[in-house]
Amino acid sequence: MAPTPPERAEAVLTRSPSLAPLLARGAVLSPFRRPDPSAAHPRTRLVLPGLRPDPAKLAAYAKVCGFPAAADTLPVTYPHVLGFPLAMRLMSARDFPLPLLGLVHTSISVTRHRTTPSAAFHDLTVYVDGLAPHRRGTEAAVVTELRLGDELVWESRSTYLARHSTTHSEGPERAGDPELPAVEEWRLPGDLGRRYGAASGDLNPIHLHPLTARLFGFPRAIAHGMWTVARCLAAHGVPDAAGVRAEFRAPVLLPGTVTYAADGGRFALRGGRGRTHLTGEVTSL
């Protein structure tokens, strides 16, 4: 019989962590990580109570992602931005077994149980849900929950992949998806990563400038994955109570041109030469 995992401890924060020192700590510790799906991982639930979104940051986020300005509800992807510093605190900690450098955001699923007022005070909870073997390495799942009082109003599950050699072969390569009809073409400026980073707080150097992106093997800066899904959802529209799933397939180089495609609840973001950057689906609850 497998041992029962320990109960999760709860750590209550008084403010949102600063991302820059967490990125630095994660970078320093990355060379010492030994990814393994059976490794121990943080069991702490981080809780940030009484969080009210900053109106200026929210407005900047809505603008760069294409959501309506001056809305009285949070964009469906914005709670991820609020929870990201807490997730980074967990993933940059000494007891997180995957290297932060090179960690790839592979998917996100969101359940919005109802609209989330932008002027309300919310309670955030973030925790690592576990590690799993992947055909290309080890994947970690991070859960974010947003509550209004005692009510769970929004929750997400993100997966992050650390690539390394493995003998695990489950999970076949994806089959080709049916091509969705093109809806719009978007020309993305070279400073998009800096603009989204300023609005979201995610200042990972791979998104900011060609020179810093080249340090990590990219020929140019790449768009944030969460910008790509947010921009698609802003164009697609999301019901008040909805489920969203998205898979990040390939990076979007900046500057560049992409095509937003959609049919029914499904959507995709495509680049040149038939390359698919993102696929997703919206369902009404």
Side-chain angles (χ1 to χ4, degrees):
M1 179 181 296
T4 302
E7 293 295 323
R8 293 186 183 277
E10 187 173 284
V12 180
L13 308 181
T14 58
R15 60 184 177 85
S16 185
S18 176
L19 278 170
L22 297 179
L23 280 168
R25 182 174 70 180
V28 169
L29 293 176
S30 285
F32 304 99
R33 305 297 197 202
R34 296 295 179 265
D36 185 334
S38 63
H41 61 272
R43 305 293 304 176
T44 303
R45 297 168 64 95
L46 297 182
V47 179
L48 180 60
L51 176 65
R52 185 178 185 181
D54 179 273
K57 292 180 180 178
L58 180 56
Y61 178 87
K63 183 177 181 180
V64 74
C65 295
F67 289 106
D72 57 1
T73 60
L74 298 178
V76 65
T77 47
Y78 198 67
H80 173 88
V81 172
L82 298 176
F84 187 64
L86 281 68
M88 283 295 300
R89 175 162 164 170
L90 291 171
M91 291 192 290
S92 65
R94 291 186 179 276
D95 57 350
F96 186 72
L98 306 186
L100 193 61
L101 288 181
L103 206 61
V104 180
H105 195 181
T106 51
S107 74
I108 185 170
S109 60
V110 171
T111 301
R112 183 168 69 180
H113 299 282
R114 69 172 181 86
T115 55
T116 48
S118 57
F121 291 90
H122 298 86
D123 295 342
L124 265 175
T125 301
V126 179
Y127 60 92
V128 178
D129 197 36
L131 305 179
H134 187 280
R135 65 180 181 275
R136 294 180 179 171
T138 299
E139 205 167 51
V142 178
V143 171
T144 301
E145 299 172 343
L146 190 72
R147 287 178 170 81
L148 194 56
D150 294 329
E151 182 185 3
L152 179 65
V153 294
W154 186 99
E155 56 188 316
S156 75
R157 179 184 176 89
S158 282
T159 56
Y160 298 90
L161 175 65
R163 294 175 176 167
H164 59 87
S165 59
T166 176
T167 58
H168 185 78
S169 59
E170 290 183 14
E173 293 288 341
R174 302 184 188 99
D177 294 312
E179 185 162 308
L180 304 177
V183 178
E184 295 178 346
E185 185 177 86
W186 298 333
R187 297 184 183 276
L188 311 182
D191 68 346
L192 177 60
R194 295 190 290 276
R195 289 170 53 211
Y196 180 85
S200 67
D202 184 355
L203 299 176
N204 188 319
I206 64 175
H207 304 301
L208 304 182
H209 194 276
L211 292 178
T212 53
R214 287 183 196 128
L215 296 175
F216 298 92
F218 297 99
R220 305 197 299 274
I222 64 172
H224 293 73
M226 283 305 300
W227 178 87
T228 65
V229 68
R231 183 66 187 90
C232 286
L233 292 174
H236 190 281
V238 180
D240 289 347
V244 174
R245 64 159 188 85
E247 291 188 2
F248 304 105
R249 300 287 189 89
V252 176
L253 296 175
L254 300 173
T257 300
V258 293
T259 299
Y260 164 67
D263 183 27
R266 294 180 302 148
F267 62 90
L269 196 66
R270 298 197 298 262
R273 300 179 182 177
R275 194 176 204 194
T276 299
H277 298 290
L278 172 77
T279 61
E281 186 173 14
V282 177
T283 56
S284 181
L285 300 181

